[in-house]
Amino acid sequence: MTDAREQQLAILHSMVRIRRVEERLSELFSQGKVPGFIHVSIGQEAIAAGVCSCLGPEDSVLTTHRGHGHALAKGIGLKRFMAEIYGRRDGFCKGKSGSMHIADKGVGVVGANGIVGGGLPISLGTALASQYRGEKTVTVCFFGDGASNQGTFHESLNIAALWSLPLVFCCENNGWAQFTPQARYMKVESVAERAEGYGIPGVTVDGNDVVRVREAALEAVARARRGDGPTLLECKVRRWLGHYVGDAQKYRPPEDVKGAKALDPIRAYADQLSAAGAIGPDGLADIELRVKAEIDEAVRFAGESPPAGPEELFTDVYA
Amino acid sequence: MTDAREQQLAILHSMVRIRRVEERLSELFSQGKVPGFIHVSIGQEAIAAGVCSCLGPEDSVLTTHRGHGHALAKGIGLKRFMAEIYGRRDGFCKGKSGSMHIADKGVGVVGANGIVGGGLPISLGTALASQYRGEKTVTVCFFGDGASNQGTFHESLNIAALWSLPLVFCCENNGWAQFTPQARYMKVESVAERAEGYGIPGVTVDGNDVVRVREAALEAVARARRGDGPTLLECKVRRWLGHYVGDAQKYRPPEDVKGAKALDPIRAYADQLSAAGAIGPDGLADIELRVKAEIDEAVRFAGESPPAGPEELFTDVYA
Amino acid sequence: METRYIKAINEALAEEMARDESVFVVGEDVGGAGGAFSATRDLLARFGARRVRDTPISEAAIVGIATGAAIRGLRPVAEIMFADFLALSMDQIVNQLAKVRYMFGGMYAMPVVIRAPCGGGLNAGPQHSQCVEAWFAGVPGLKVVMPATPHDVKGLLKSAIRDDNPVLFLENKALYALKGDVPEGEYLVPIGKAEVKRAGKDVTVVATSRMVHQSLEAAQGLAGEGIDVEILDLRTITPLDKESIFRSVEKTSRLVVAHEAVKAFGIGAEIVAAVCEELPGRLRAPPCRVGAPFVPVPFAQERQYLPDAAGVVRAVKSVMAA
Amino acid sequence: METRYIKAINEALAEEMARDESVFVVGEDVGGAGGAFSATRDLLARFGARRVRDTPISEAAIVGIATGAAIRGLRPVAEIMFADFLALSMDQIVNQLAKVRYMFGGMYAMPVVIRAPCGGGLNAGPQHSQCVEAWFAGVPGLKVVMPATPHDVKGLLKSAIRDDNPVLFLENKALYALKGDVPEGEYLVPIGKAEVKRAGKDVTVVATSRMVHQSLEAAQGLAGEGIDVEILDLRTITPLDKESIFRSVEKTSRLVVAHEAVKAFGIGAEIVAAVCEELPGRLRAPPCRVGAPFVPVPFAQERQYLPDAAGVVRAVKSVMAA
Ligand SMILES: Cc1ncc(C[n+]2csc(CCOP(=O)(O)OP(=O)(O)O)c2C)c(N)n1
Ligand SMILES: Cc1ncc(C[n+]2csc(CCOP(=O)(O)OP(=O)(O)O)c2C)c(N)n1
Ligand SMILES: [Mg+2]
Ligand SMILES: [Mg+2]
């Protein structure tokens, strides 16, 4: 099997894995098995899979409240990921982070963030560390279209541009910020239009097309590795589901939901691959089987992992 | 005398008045007569005079640490202005504000601000009040090129654009932020380049040319009054003096200072007016005389004004 | 009649908006969706987009909008979706809003209300569960209010909206669903007045927000053991109603302070200090504070973290034992 | 030898940067100009632009840069030009930096120092003169340090830079020009340890930062009147050195706390509360706090506003009289 084809299958697998993990998480949440609240990226998998396919474990990714996909695509281990979301001892953060603060230093998942726009300034620092040490590593900071109206967006892009930091600002523009449509929080249609004001490239791609996403990300990452500075990469998608699991979306016209779901990045890519003969008739089914087995095992693992002991409440406050 | 000519003389007078007031303030400060520290706008008078010549008393102006010029051009009374900077009872703020927080509600000087970028979000509210009430009044928010890198700049321009607020964002780009030259805090050369990212007009004019400044401001203000929303108006000048009075500018190449002072908006405009026959040979001298007399009187008034009584420390904390 | 805490907030907003055309609400998702916790439900339909204003995710600007509008004579009510996010508005609140009146020599009235839900209970983790009153209690120019009941949240919010000073109005998420009696007609609850929620002679428990209910629960149990607890619902943090605190302590000569916020350097310290300084020798036992441990709010271990009735019982017994 | 407070800071930075290549400084005007108060003078020339980084006016980003760099193993020292401006970094400090370690289950060390000058003395007005330690003292995950002397500011800053936790390092502008003895060789002052600056038997004055010197001045005068004051320089706010406070109070059984910040809801309240709770019956007189009145820092009337030696004298006499 050629490298290119392996790569294609890996990306398809990555997308399917994200989708099924989040579907399962939604079920488990509805069954009351998951504490807190969770935000899924179903329908937006091409962005995580496409962008992270350009990164290695030594590269850093910062993500948001809607960060499962990025963490998974970046290579986070599913068992401990699941245990963390369950709030159990075997989670990557000993059950202290949950869905909204998932992290695994080991694979460069610096961390998710519950503060919209909160990760942007921090990504300056992780990228600066690469530059400071003369490493060729890069940082990708994921954020939403809503986040692009926070002051931190501005301060961060200005500084990243000024210092030519090895950083890719990846905006997942899904048209919504919680319960409010984009037209009510910004006048411009594309976040990428803001790049010019910092003197950096701004690129907008169809976030449902994983091939386009990967192409654009490859270029932005290469640019960052070369030392030529940051790129604002905007991936346009449409939010399939509610803001969080359990959101009835009363505020949202049903057609908007239907329209969003009409675009399925996974089906599109699978069709494309089979048309090109890269996967056979059962290609997708095989992936689904592998993914299901992995998820079943991870859910079992998480369910069997004990909650953190009482002493854990008081540890890790200070080094 | 024609209205146009009156207008021209008024603008020249306004610039001369700002220059001489700040020169006198610098002297008085050096003599230890003024508490705190003061930032002068000498060399940048055309911006204050040009922009404020387009406004009426019912319009609002928000300014910065370098705000004497804006307050004066907007019509603040010199005697109480001077008393305030002296920290005396007869000051507009009873001696509680000083140079950095000067304000006079009566003529629409909402207030100066010691937090760089701090006035921008507040200007949204003063402009919103005009729109809310269906008034035709506008707000002008002055700020520096350094301030344009604060998060508040971004949040404010985005919201003003979104809501089509009657607001003019006037950036005085003097090439410096305190002790640091512009190239070390932003990659783009013009702040106005950032307007596009919000979907509003961005205009850059020569801030040493009061006629151009006024033309651009007239258009921006008219646009705001029409209800067509905000404009980002950038006026490029070069800082003549130190960041504050007493700043030896060791960090700054002397040629840069010389170059800045080579451009004198007052001399330029006076020459232009006399060439056009709008003022005679003693036109400027007359203005200087009037201004000097007014300043002498204001300084006397301030010097004779008593300090606030001890009870004043505790008043005005709550309504 | 029985009304939920969140509904009482909604009623207060609707009534004040109907009463005074200069009152408007502004914040994230307050419009079409009626707010993240539906405090502003139906206000958009009733009062229109001019007076019910959705904003971008720009917490600093939200407060700035309120400050500027108040300078021009409007009466904004800003919502910050979670109190934790007030950190993003910190400069606009403490360096601008709170200081405008003083800084400008009394030139402006500042009729601004900033509403924000604090506290835990949703396993929402360290950035969505904090009680932040200690950041603001020591900021001159601000008033800080923390209502505990549907009755008080309505009456205090109406008072806050009519107040010519900036009021930081801290609700508690865990109380939003709480039902309680809310009178039919118009009424106000004054800012700056604590209330005795339960009269008792043995020990004074000064409690805020959710801890008022935990304290009432504790008091019931303790009554069974013959300990008669007086519970003072502080309701307002600043201005602090020392008079009511002192009156109660003069009576019971024992003091417990209970808040959900981290105990160390919390507002309970000021209450204990004020009593020890200003009522010398009055306490028959050392005072005792109940509050959260000195750790961030955890995700999974929230229940173990949150101060509760059991904690109040322990505190009361310790001061009774002494 | 005699060194100014500001120079001692500069030496600490230079020594630690020379010692550890992962240490760098970042902030507004820290480079070419050597800082607004010249704390970073000559560092650019000596260590280059890679390690001495001027930033735009972006206080939130400055702290974010430090947090991210620390996550990747560097040891940033950020300067916020005036402590008042920490309000603009509030989210990045309290919701991010302070919580990273806990939130991620101990995954990261957070060796970040944030330096900022607080306090009055320059008639710089309400937005450039505040003492802000009360905003941060109750935030788990942070350490808060307030050195009072050239000796301590150097030793504590070096300790802070070597500490694997975020340290908010609050200097006092009014002390920058203060001269004091600073030893030649390398030394550290431990974080979390208060120091007896003057031994006395009659009353304990727990003081911070500038008020340490005001208290020493007060003690001299009081000595003449036969009152023997013990002065404890707190040096660190969190972790609070209760042991030293209690040891001194056990000896004197009288307590005064003095800080420049607003008295109400200030860190002095925690100290008073801790003593009253944990040393029952030990105080022979009610404790007394010295702090600023509950008003913003005024422009012209600053001298009248600032707590001073006379205030400490009054407080000491009041507790001696009782
Ligand atoms: C500072 C801050 N403000 C508000 C919120 C509440 N909130 C959580 S997600 C969200 C919407 C974010 O929209 P966007 O950035 O587009 O991300 P998306 O949810 O669409 O992926 C909001 C308002 C928050 N968590 N943090
Ligand atoms: C939030 C904040 N950060 C830093 C400062 C310190 N400071 C005062 S003026 C200034 C430079 C401002 O530059 P610019 O906005 O260009 O205005 P200019 O002084 O050039 O008129 C700085 C850094 C401040 N007052 N407020
Ligand atoms: Mg979105
Ligand atoms: Mg400038």
Side-chain angles (χ1 to χ4, degrees):
Chain A
M1 175 156 90
T2 68
D3 289 3
R5 189 160 163 265
E6 256 179 54
Q7 181 64 257
Q8 293 168 325
L9 291 182
I11 288 173
L12 183 61
H13 175 269
S14 176
M15 288 199 284
V16 172
R17 184 164 175 256
I18 294 167
R19 171 87 47 101
R20 302 308 171 214
V21 166
E22 289 196 316
E23 285 170 348
R24 184 72 68 90
L25 275 174
S26 306
E27 270 172 48
L28 295 163
F29 181 85
S30 314
Q31 296 163 9
K33 295 216 174 90
V34 175
F37 36 110
I38 60 175
H39 307 81
V40 296
S41 61
I42 289 172
Q44 306 177 196
E45 300 89 349
I47 305 169
V51 171
C52 293
S53 73
C54 310
L55 303 175
E58 60 297 324
D59 295 315
S60 297
V61 159
L62 285 85
T63 177
T64 69
H65 57 285
R66 203 175 302 285
H68 303 143
H70 310 127
L72 290 166
K74 188 66 168 56
I76 201 168
L78 189 59
K79 287 161 75 173
R80 297 189 59 197
F81 166 93
M82 200 58 84
E84 185 56 50
I85 292 175
Y86 266 58
R88 301 302 172 84
R89 179 177 301 175
D90 297 305
F92 282 106
C93 307
K94 310 177 188 170
K96 285 175 173 165
S97 81
S99 163
M100 205 152 45
H101 303 287
I102 195 79
D104 176 19
K105 187 180 180 176
V107 295
V109 178
V110 171
N113 207 309
I115 299 294
V116 168
L120 288 155
I122 299 170
S123 71
L124 297 174
T126 58
L128 174 62
S130 300
Q131 189 186 67
Y132 190 93
R133 297 209 183 96
E135 293 172 0
K136 284 266 156 284
T137 56
V138 306
T139 294
V140 175
C141 184
F142 290 98
F143 59 97
D145 47 320
S148 77
N149 303 301
Q150 280 286 31
T152 51
F153 168 89
H154 180 64
E155 296 186 6
S156 301
L157 269 73
N158 182 57
I159 290 172
L162 187 68
W163 293 355
S164 293
L165 292 177
L167 186 48
V168 177
F169 294 105
C170 184
C171 180
E172 292 199 8
N173 184 342
N174 63 4
W176 286 85
Q178 191 147 337
F179 307 149
T180 302
Q182 187 174 322
R184 283 223 297 284
Y185 51 84
M186 51 198 294
K187 191 179 173 193
V188 294
E189 288 207 338
S190 288
V191 172
E193 294 178 46
R194 293 177 169 171
E196 208 184 313
Y198 308 102
I200 63 172
V203 183
T204 302
V205 299
D206 174 358
N208 286 303
D209 183 339
V210 71
V211 176
R212 295 276 154 288
V213 170
R214 179 173 151 84
E215 280 171 3
L218 277 173
E219 189 178 335
V221 168
R223 186 179 142 77
R225 287 202 208 281
R226 276 199 313 272
D228 292 344
T231 302
L232 173 53
L233 171 58
E234 175 183 34
C235 303
K236 286 206 171 173
V237 288
R238 290 172 64 182
R239 200 178 81 193
W240 276 31
L241 305 169
H243 172 57
Y244 42 62
V245 176
D247 171 9
Q249 301 198 80
K250 292 212 191 66
Y251 52 84
R252 187 175 179 189
E255 321 72 67
D256 185 50
V257 179
K258 266 186 77 231
K261 292 187 176 172
L263 313 159
D264 184 340
I266 295 179
R267 190 177 327 104
Y269 191 51
D271 293 350
Q272 192 178 328
L273 290 187
S274 52
I279 55 171
D282 346 320
L284 189 52
D286 295 345
I287 290 176
E288 294 279 11
L289 278 177
R290 270 191 292 138
V291 165
K292 183 171 183 320
E294 188 193 9
I295 295 174
D296 291 340
E297 193 199 351
V299 171
R300 196 176 318 105
F301 176 83
E304 288 165 2
S305 173
E311 72 291 349
E312 268 305 328
L313 176 63
F314 303 98
T315 60
D316 301 323
V317 181
Y318 293 96
Chain B
M1 165 159 99
T2 70
D3 290 1
R5 185 157 168 271
E6 256 179 53
Q7 181 64 257
Q8 293 168 324
L9 291 182
I11 289 173
L12 182 62
H13 175 268
S14 176
M15 289 198 284
V16 172
R17 184 163 173 258
I18 294 167
R19 171 85 47 101
R20 301 306 171 216
V21 166
E22 290 197 315
E23 285 171 347
R24 183 73 67 90
L25 275 175
S26 307
E27 270 172 49
L28 294 164
F29 181 84
S30 314
Q31 296 162 10
K33 295 215 174 89
V34 175
F37 37 108
I38 60 175
H39 309 81
V40 296
S41 62
I42 289 173
Q44 306 178 195
E45 300 89 350
I47 304 168
V51 171
C52 293
S53 73
C54 310
L55 303 175
E58 61 296 323
D59 296 316
S60 297
V61 159
L62 285 85
T63 177
T64 69
H65 57 284
R66 204 175 301 286
H68 304 142
H70 310 127
L72 290 165
K74 189 65 167 58
I76 202 167
L78 188 60
K79 286 160 75 175
R80 297 189 59 196
F81 167 92
M82 199 60 82
E84 185 56 49
I85 292 175
Y86 267 58
R88 302 301 172 84
R89 179 177 300 174
D90 297 305
F92 282 107
C93 306
K94 309 177 189 170
K96 284 175 174 163
S97 82
S99 164
M100 205 154 43
H101 303 289
I102 196 79
D104 176 17
K105 186 181 183 177
V107 296
V109 178
V110 171
N113 207 309
I115 300 295
V116 168
L120 287 155
I122 299 172
S123 72
L124 296 173
T126 58
L128 174 62
S130 300
Q131 188 187 65
Y132 190 96
R133 297 210 183 94
E135 292 173 0
K136 284 267 154 283
T137 55
V138 307
T139 293
V140 175
C141 184
F142 290 99
F143 60 97
D145 49 319
S148 79
N149 303 301
Q150 281 285 31
T152 51
F153 168 90
H154 181 64
E155 297 186 6
S156 302
L157 269 73
N158 182 56
I159 291 173
L162 186 67
W163 294 355
S164 293
L165 293 178
L167 185 49
V168 177
F169 295 105
C170 184
C171 180
E172 292 198 8
N173 184 341
N174 63 3
W176 286 86
Q178 191 147 335
F179 307 148
T180 303
Q182 187 173 322
R184 283 222 299 282
Y185 51 84
M186 52 200 292
K187 191 178 173 192
V188 294
E189 288 208 339
S190 288
V191 173
E193 294 178 44
R194 295 177 168 172
E196 205 184 315
Y198 308 102
I200 63 172
V203 183
T204 303
V205 298
D206 174 359
N208 287 303
D209 183 338
V210 72
V211 176
R212 294 277 153 288
V213 170
R214 180 173 151 83
E215 278 171 5
L218 276 173
E219 189 177 334
V221 168
R223 186 166 187 282
R225 285 202 210 283
R226 277 200 312 273
D228 293 343
T231 302
L232 173 54
L233 170 58
E234 174 184 34
C235 303
K236 287 206 170 173
V237 288
R238 290 173 63 183
R239 199 178 80 192
W240 276 32
L241 305 169
H243 172 56
Y244 41 63
V245 177
D247 170 10
Q249 301 197 81
K250 292 212 192 69
Y251 52 83
R252 187 175 179 189
E255 322 72 68
D256 186 49
V257 178
K258 265 185 78 234
K261 292 187 176 172
L263 313 158
D264 183 341
I266 296 179
R267 187 171 335 100
Y269 192 52
D271 293 350
Q272 191 178 331
L273 290 187
S274 52
I279 54 168
D282 347 318
L284 189 52
D286 295 345
I287 291 176
E288 294 280 10
L289 277 178
R290 269 191 293 139
V291 166
K292 182 169 186 322
E294 188 194 8
I295 295 173
D296 291 340
E297 192 199 352
V299 171
R300 195 176 317 104
F301 175 82
E304 287 165 2
S305 173
E311 73 291 349
E312 269 305 327
L313 176 64
F314 304 98
T315 60
D316 303 324
V317 181
Y318 293 95
Chain C
M1 82 213 210
E2 286 285 291
T3 306
R4 289 193 193 280
Y5 186 99
I6 189 72
K7 184 69 170 56
I9 293 167
N10 183 257
E11 286 177 7
L13 292 170
E15 287 175 21
E16 291 305 300
M17 289 179 79
R19 199 183 127 270
D20 181 347
E21 213 265 346
S22 65
V23 177
F24 70 97
V25 301
V26 59
E28 294 157 18
D29 303 303
V30 296
F37 297 96
S38 32
T40 54
R41 174 173 292 164
D42 301 333
L43 295 183
L44 177 64
R46 179 156 170 208
F47 298 102
R50 172 169 154 271
R51 297 181 63 193
V52 183
R53 311 188 67 93
D54 277 322
T55 68
I57 305 169
S58 305
E59 283 79 10
I62 290 168
V63 173
I65 288 163
T67 301
I71 281 175
R72 297 285 319 282
L74 298 179
R75 307 188 81 85
V77 182
E79 174 174 308
I80 299 296
M81 196 185 287
F82 285 76
D84 313 69
F85 312 156
L86 289 166
L88 288 144
S89 324
M90 191 76 179
D91 173 70
Q92 285 292 317
I93 295 172
V94 305
N95 289 334
Q96 309 294 341
L97 177 60
K99 292 177 171 49
V100 163
R101 183 174 177 79
Y102 190 82
M103 197 156 64
F104 298 133
M107 196 174 280
Y108 302 106
M110 278 287 117
V112 170
V113 178
I114 302 173
R115 293 182 40 249
C118 59
L122 309 181
N123 290 101
Q127 296 173 332
H128 286 70
S129 310
Q130 297 166 89
C131 292
V132 302
E133 66 272 15
W135 299 349
F136 300 101
V139 177
L142 287 181
K143 295 184 178 182
V144 181
V145 175
M146 297 183 77
T149 66
H151 173 278
D152 288 352
V153 80
K154 180 172 181 181
L156 279 163
L157 182 50
K158 287 165 66 83
S159 294
I161 291 169
R162 299 184 195 189
D163 197 298
D164 276 339
N165 299 290
V167 179
L168 183 60
F169 197 84
L170 297 172
E171 302 155 8
N172 188 302
K173 297 186 223 38
L175 298 178
Y176 277 154
L178 179 78
K179 281 190 173 168
D181 187 60
V182 172
E184 284 298 335
E186 152 106 7
Y187 70 95
L188 298 175
V189 174
I191 291 174
K193 294 253 159 293
E195 185 185 55
V196 176
K197 278 276 190 303
R198 181 186 194 283
K201 59 176 183 8
D202 296 331
V203 51
T204 297
V205 176
V206 178
T208 63
S209 196
R210 189 180 63 81
M211 289 310 289
V212 170
H213 305 282
Q214 300 296 312
S215 301
L216 284 164
E217 187 185 323
Q220 267 193 340
L222 288 159
E225 307 180 35
I227 302 176
D228 187 16
V229 180
E230 173 147 309
I231 295 179
L232 188 66
D233 176 357
L234 200 50
R235 301 200 293 193
T236 299
I237 309 303
T238 46
L240 182 64
D241 184 3
K242 286 189 191 179
E243 199 184 319
S244 299
I245 296 168
F246 292 173
R247 191 182 310 113
S248 178
V249 171
E250 297 255 352
K251 184 170 83 173
T252 64
S253 57
R254 286 194 174 83
L255 173 65
V256 167
V257 182
H259 55 57
E260 181 176 323
V262 170
K263 172 183 153 184
F265 299 95
I267 63 115
E270 177 65 31
I271 293 165
V272 167
V275 167
C276 295
E277 288 168 348
E278 301 179 46
L279 294 184
R282 221 64 199 59
L283 288 181
R284 229 180 306 140
C288 183
R289 286 174 291 162
V290 177
F294 201 66
V295 308
V297 185
F299 159 62
Q301 296 184 294
E302 194 179 45
R303 189 168 293 100
Q304 187 190 336
Y305 166 92
L306 289 173
D308 58 9
V312 176
V313 168
R314 278 194 301 278
V316 168
K317 287 185 172 175
S318 75
V319 300
M320 293 305 295
Chain D
M1 76 208 219
E2 286 285 294
T3 305
R4 289 192 194 281
Y5 187 100
I6 189 72
K7 184 69 172 54
I9 293 168
N10 183 258
E11 286 177 7
L13 292 170
E15 288 175 19
E16 292 305 300
M17 289 179 79
R19 202 185 123 268
D20 181 347
E21 212 266 345
S22 66
V23 176
F24 70 98
V25 302
V26 59
E28 294 156 19
D29 303 303
V30 296
F37 297 96
S38 34
T40 54
R41 175 172 293 164
D42 300 334
L43 295 183
L44 177 64
R46 179 158 169 206
F47 298 101
R50 170 169 155 270
R51 297 180 63 194
V52 182
R53 312 188 67 93
D54 277 322
T55 68
I57 305 170
S58 305
E59 283 78 9
I62 290 167
V63 174
I65 288 164
T67 301
I71 282 175
R72 296 285 318 283
L74 299 179
R75 308 189 79 85
V77 181
E79 173 174 309
I80 298 296
M81 195 185 290
F82 285 76
D84 314 70
F85 312 156
L86 289 166
L88 288 145
S89 324
M90 191 76 180
D91 173 71
Q92 286 293 316
I93 296 172
V94 304
N95 289 334
Q96 309 294 340
L97 176 61
K99 293 177 170 50
V100 162
R101 183 173 177 80
Y102 190 82
M103 197 156 65
F104 297 134
M107 195 174 280
Y108 302 107
M110 278 287 118
V112 170
V113 178
I114 302 174
R115 294 181 40 249
C118 58
L122 308 181
N123 290 101
Q127 296 173 334
H128 286 70
S129 310
Q130 295 167 89
C131 291
V132 302
E133 66 273 15
W135 300 349
F136 300 101
V139 178
L142 288 181
K143 295 184 179 182
V144 180
V145 176
M146 298 182 77
T149 67
H151 173 278
D152 288 351
V153 81
K154 181 173 181 180
L156 279 164
L157 182 51
K158 286 165 67 83
S159 295
I161 291 169
R162 299 184 195 187
D163 197 298
D164 276 340
N165 298 288
V167 179
L168 183 60
F169 197 83
L170 297 173
E171 301 155 8
N172 188 301
K173 299 184 216 47
L175 299 179
Y176 277 154
L178 179 78
K179 282 189 172 169
D181 187 59
V182 172
E184 282 299 333
E186 152 106 7
Y187 70 95
L188 299 174
V189 173
I191 291 173
K193 294 254 158 294
E195 185 184 57
V196 176
K197 278 275 192 300
R198 182 188 194 283
K201 60 176 184 4
D202 296 331
V203 50
T204 297
V205 176
V206 177
T208 64
S209 196
R210 189 180 62 83
M211 290 309 290
V212 170
H213 305 282
Q214 300 295 314
S215 302
L216 285 165
E217 186 185 324
Q220 267 195 339
L222 289 159
E225 305 180 34
I227 302 175
D228 187 15
V229 180
E230 174 148 308
I231 295 179
L232 187 68
D233 176 355
L234 201 51
R235 302 200 294 192
T236 299
I237 309 303
T238 43
L240 182 63
D241 184 4
K242 285 189 191 178
E243 200 184 319
S244 299
I245 295 168
F246 292 173
R247 191 182 310 115
S248 178
V249 171
E250 297 262 0
K251 183 172 82 173
T252 65
S253 57
R254 288 193 174 84
L255 174 64
V256 168
V257 182
H259 55 57
E260 180 176 324
V262 170
K263 172 183 154 183
F265 300 96
I267 62 115
E270 178 64 32
I271 293 165
V272 167
V275 167
C276 294
E277 288 169 348
E278 301 179 48
L279 295 185
R282 222 59 202 60
L283 289 180
R284 228 180 305 137
C288 182
R289 286 174 290 162
V290 178
F294 201 65
V295 308
V297 186
F299 160 61
Q301 294 184 296
E302 195 180 44
R303 189 168 292 98
Q304 188 189 334
Y305 165 93
L306 288 173
D308 57 9
V312 176
V313 168
R314 276 194 303 278
V316 167
K317 287 185 172 175
S318 76
V319 300
M320 292 307 294

